């Protein structure tokens, strides 16, 4: 019998997983990817024996991975060799004071009480709130596909206003648990995963530090790209066809829906279902004809961006753990510079990843692979930012912070450097404004208020990925893929394999 056909635009995490779900239900699925490899922002490169993950550097929310791999008929632990990272982060403050975030409660007691007497009790209460937020939000918001406004705006959801504190500011809410500004920042910095400032993020996001400490931060042997390889294995086994280095220039639509896609060489490819895994604002601006809709999406709030440095070092830096985060005392000013001024803070918080602490094969023996990530504002509308200058300032700030740990001579030990700025993110991954997390996760861009997974008029055109529901990150991309596939199977007569 003839199978129903589907075209996926983009081989990011969401695109691969959606393709696998549909193929397993009898669809003939073709994925077009503009880059030479799959993975989208979960990317990597190798040079002279140094392995660099260019996107995510840690695996969080492992229960989501287990559930979503199982939904694809696969075992997470059979496909990935995961090791728990504990302490999850080593935090370093401006004067060199440190805090190691760990699931070891005795260690947390000793460290927290040294920073603020009596704070351990607040920490336990904060984790309790985080657990409540995680359990309720995952079940009632993240895992649900809100197809109508009544599924979101109803009397049954009113208790969520009390249970999840969506109207409370995350940082302000920390006053219920800690007095120390450093502890407030230590348990809110995770908001940057959503491209948000903790000074505007809903207190709901206490779920993130909870899941890191309770469920663990993990690292797959072979790096984060191992996740992409595992998903490709599942998809290819189901019969998905991947075509690389082939860009889609626009989606062909008529009054009744999407008919197919036009490739960069002019070829037209038809399919019953089109799923766009390219960044949603890019899809509306570049691939669809309605400029009014494109303008509406482009006027939404975008997340911040980052400048990433990838350094091959001819010696090891034992002072660094796997994940080191330098948190600035002028925490609020950091986010104001990034979100409001679209630039680099004068004294930026930043993150350094040393993957060889977790997997020695990531660098030649006796050497190091280092990845430094500095949050910055996204691209401005008038091109007024001097990214060459901002990049150099960010580089010097990393060296300055490393000196707090006694690493004073890194510059002369760097064998080579590669780096990404917001311009790089836009060019390589078609991220509008270079926003690394897509559309921001403000209260008015969550749940039913976030762009939906299906086009409002073209009912065979679907969206999956960071700027759609439920949001950014690998775990949510996997959820988004399942929600999209389930909706397609509900709304269209799926072919069978019998």
């Amino acid at each position: 019998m003839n199978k129903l056909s589907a075209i996926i635009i983009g081989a990011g995490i969401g695109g691969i997983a959606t393709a696998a779900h549909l193929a397993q239900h009898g669809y003939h699925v073709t994925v077009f990817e503009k880059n030479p490899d799959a993975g989208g922002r979960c990317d990597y490169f190798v040079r002279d024996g140094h392995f660099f993950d260019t996107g995510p550097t840690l695996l969080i929310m492992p229960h989501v991975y287990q559930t979503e791999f199982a939904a694809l008929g696969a075992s997470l632990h059979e496909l990935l060799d995961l090791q728990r990272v504990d302490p999850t982060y080593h935090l370093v403050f401006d004067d060199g004071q440190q805090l190691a975030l760990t699931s070891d409660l005795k260690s947390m007691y000793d460290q927290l009480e040294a920073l603020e007497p009596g704070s351990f009790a607040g920490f336990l209460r904060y984790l309790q709130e985080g657990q409540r937020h995680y359990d309720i939000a995952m079940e009632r918001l993240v895992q649900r596909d809100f197809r109508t406004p009544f599924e979101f705006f109803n009397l049954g959801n009113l208790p969520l206003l009390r249970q999840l504190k969506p109207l409370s500011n995350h940082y302000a809410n920390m006053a219920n648990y800690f007095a120390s500004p450093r502890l407030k920042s230590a348990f809110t910095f995770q908001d940057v995963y959503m491209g948000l400032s903790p000074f505007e993020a809903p207190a709901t996001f206490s779920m993130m530090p909870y899941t890191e400490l309770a469920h663990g931060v993990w690292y797959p042997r072979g790096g984060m790209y191992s996740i992409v390889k595992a998903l490709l294995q599942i998809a290819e086994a189901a019969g998905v066809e991947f075509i690389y280095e082939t860009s889609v220039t626009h989606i062909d639509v008529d009054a009744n829906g999407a008919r197919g896609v036009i490739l960069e060489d002019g070829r037209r490819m038809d399919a019953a279902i089109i799923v766009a895994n390219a960044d949603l604002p890019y899809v509306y601006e570049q691939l669809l004809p309605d400029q009014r809709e494109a303008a509406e999406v482009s006027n939404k709030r975008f997340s911040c961006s980052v400048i990433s440095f990838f350094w091959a070092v001819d010696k090891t830096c034992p002072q660094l753990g796997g994940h080191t985060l330098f948190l600035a005392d002028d925490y609020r000013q950091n986010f104001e510079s990034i979100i409001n001024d679209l630039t680099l803070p004068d004294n930026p918080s930043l993150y350094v990843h040393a993957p060889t602490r977790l997997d020695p094969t990531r660098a030649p023996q006796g050497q190091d692979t280092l990845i430094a990530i500095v949050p910055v504002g996204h691209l401005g509308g008038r091109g007024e930012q001097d990214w060459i200058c901002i990049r150099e300032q960010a580089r010097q700030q990393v060296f300055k912070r490393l000196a707090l740990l006694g690493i004073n001579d890194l510059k002369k030990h760097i064998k080579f450097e590669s780096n990404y700025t917001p311009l790089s993110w836009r060019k390589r991954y078609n991220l509008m404004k270079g926003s690394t997390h897509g559309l921001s996760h403000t209260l008015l861009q969550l749940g039913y208020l976030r762009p939906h997974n299906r086009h409002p008029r073209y009912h065979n055109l679907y969206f999956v990925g960071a700027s759609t529901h439920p949001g950014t990150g690998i775990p949510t991309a996997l959820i988004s893929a399942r929600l999209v596939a389930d909706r397609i199977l509900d709304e269209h007569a799926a072919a069978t394999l019998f």
Side-chain angles (χ1 to χ4, degrees):
M1 63 177 298
N2 292 327
K3 293 183 179 181
L4 290 179
S5 59
I7 287 175
I8 314 285
I9 305 170
I13 295 290
I16 302 170
T18 304
H21 280 295
L22 292 178
Q24 289 176 350
H25 283 84
Y27 277 79
H28 179 274
V29 184
T30 304
V31 181
F32 292 101
E33 167 57 47
K34 84 178 191 72
N35 288 325
D37 300 295
R41 279 162 278 192
C42 189
D43 208 345
Y44 81 108
F45 71 92
V46 183
R47 179 176 167 188
D48 297 344
H50 294 268
F51 291 74
F52 299 91
D53 282 314
T54 60
T57 58
L58 42 82
L59 187 153
I60 60 173
M61 304 174 74
H63 293 176
V64 173
Y65 282 87
Q66 291 176 326
T67 300
E68 298 307 324
F69 269 68
L72 288 165
S75 167
L76 175 69
H77 294 287
E78 288 180 4
L79 290 176
L80 294 175
D81 180 7
L82 297 177
Q83 57 179 314
R84 186 161 184 170
V85 181
D86 199 342
T88 57
Y89 304 93
H90 288 87
L91 306 184
V92 183
F93 299 99
D94 282 348
D95 59 1
Q97 185 180 41
Q98 298 187 31
L99 172 63
L101 298 184
T102 171
S103 60
D104 182 339
L105 291 181
K106 175 61 169 62
S107 174
M108 287 301 292
Y109 176 86
D110 292 341
Q111 294 182 87
L112 292 175
E113 291 298 311
L115 278 163
E116 179 190 326
S119 62
F120 184 72
F123 168 70
L124 293 180
R125 288 188 293 109
Y126 182 62
L127 287 185
Q128 289 176 339
E129 178 182 271
Q131 180 179 16
R132 183 178 76 247
H133 288 176
Y134 180 89
D135 292 342
I136 295 174
M138 292 302 294
E139 178 185 356
R140 302 288 297 278
L141 297 177
V142 179
Q143 299 275 9
R144 291 193 59 188
D145 177 13
F146 299 103
R147 302 184 186 182
T148 69
F150 304 106
E151 294 176 355
F152 187 73
F153 300 105
N154 60 63
L155 292 177
N157 281 341
L158 278 178
L160 298 181
L161 294 175
R162 173 181 53 83
Q163 296 167 340
L164 295 178
K165 295 186 175 180
L167 302 180
S168 298
N169 174 284
H170 193 185
Y171 189 86
N173 185 58
M174 298 303 293
N176 294 316
Y177 306 101
F178 306 110
S180 165
R182 288 185 171 181
L183 292 184
K184 292 177 183 179
S185 65
F187 296 105
T188 58
F189 72 83
Q190 294 88 345
D191 293 346
V192 79
Y193 296 165
M194 275 68 70
L196 271 181
S197 160
F199 297 96
E200 63 175 341
T204 311
F205 288 139
S206 63
M207 62 187 283
M208 299 308 298
Y210 160 75
T211 186
E212 289 182 345
L213 290 170
H215 305 151
V217 168
W218 300 78
Y219 185 80
R221 188 168 297 277
M224 292 295 289
Y225 199 75
S226 299
I227 301 168
V228 178
K229 291 179 179 178
L231 291 171
L232 284 173
Q233 180 179 332
I234 296 169
E236 289 170 346
V240 176
E241 179 184 11
F242 290 89
I243 301 176
Y244 298 105
E245 298 183 277
T246 303
S247 294
V248 171
T249 59
H250 67 272
I251 299 169
D252 186 28
V253 297
D254 60 20
N256 298 316
R259 298 183 297 185
V261 300
I262 307 301
L263 305 181
E264 59 185 341
D265 62 6
R267 285 182 296 158
R268 173 195 171 97
M269 309 296 291
D270 293 336
I273 301 294
I274 307 296
V275 181
N277 182 219
D279 192 42
L280 184 78
Y282 173 84
V283 174
Y284 271 98
E285 182 177 88
Q286 298 294 329
L287 304 186
L288 288 170
D290 193 325
Q291 292 306 302
R292 180 185 59 81
E293 292 176 342
E296 289 177 359
V297 173
S298 67
N299 286 331
K300 292 183 179 294
R301 283 284 304 278
F302 283 73
S303 69
C304 64
S305 189
V306 300
I307 295 176
S308 296
F309 298 100
F310 308 101
W311 289 325
V313 183
D314 66 9
K315 68 167 189 173
T316 60
C317 300
Q319 303 95 322
L320 287 169
H323 304 289
T324 303
L325 188 68
F326 296 88
L327 283 177
D329 285 337
D330 44 359
Y331 194 57
R332 183 186 296 271
Q333 188 275 329
N334 255 253
F335 287 100
E336 288 177 351
S337 294
I338 293 168
I339 304 298
N340 299 332
D341 302 332
L342 301 182
T343 190
L344 175 75
D346 293 335
N347 181 37
S349 297
L350 55 91
Y351 161 77
V352 179
H353 175 44
T356 58
R357 307 302 175 274
L358 312 173
D359 183 350
T361 67
R362 301 297 89 188
Q365 187 173 5
Q367 300 185 30
D368 241 337
T369 294
L370 299 181
I371 301 167
I373 299 176
V374 186
V376 294
H378 60 62
L379 295 172
R382 298 185 300 275
E384 67 275 16
Q385 297 135 306
D386 183 347
W387 289 109
I388 295 177
C389 178
I390 294 173
R391 181 182 60 193
E392 181 56 30
Q393 292 171 351
R395 182 186 290 110
Q396 296 307 317
Q397 288 290 344
V398 178
F399 294 145
K400 174 184 173 182
R401 293 309 184 89
L402 290 174
L404 290 172
L405 299 180
I407 304 172
N408 297 298
D409 59 348
L410 183 65
K411 276 190 282 190
K412 67 181 182 182
H413 290 281
I414 294 176
K415 297 160 55 180
F416 65 82
E417 172 188 300
S418 183
N419 58 73
Y420 287 3
T421 70
L423 295 171
S424 313
W425 299 111
R426 182 177 65 181
K427 179 178 180 180
R428 182 166 181 82
Y429 304 108
N430 287 338
L431 300 177
M432 283 200 45
K433 302 187 180 183
S435 295
T436 47
H437 302 83
L439 292 178
S440 187
H441 295 70
T442 60
L443 183 61
L444 296 179
Q445 292 181 180
L446 289 174
Y448 184 78
L449 301 175
R450 195 164 184 81
H452 301 170
N453 298 109
R454 192 190 71 177
H455 194 280
R457 287 186 290 117
Y458 310 131
H459 288 177
N460 65 334
L461 173 58
Y462 296 83
F463 307 113
V464 62
S467 292
T468 62
H469 177 71
T472 193
I474 297 177
T476 43
L478 293 171
I479 294 170
S480 180
R482 175 173 50 80
L483 295 177
V484 167
D486 286 347
R487 185 164 188 177
I488 291 171
L489 296 173
D490 287 346
E491 296 177 344
H492 303 270
T496 69
L497 297 177
F498 304 108

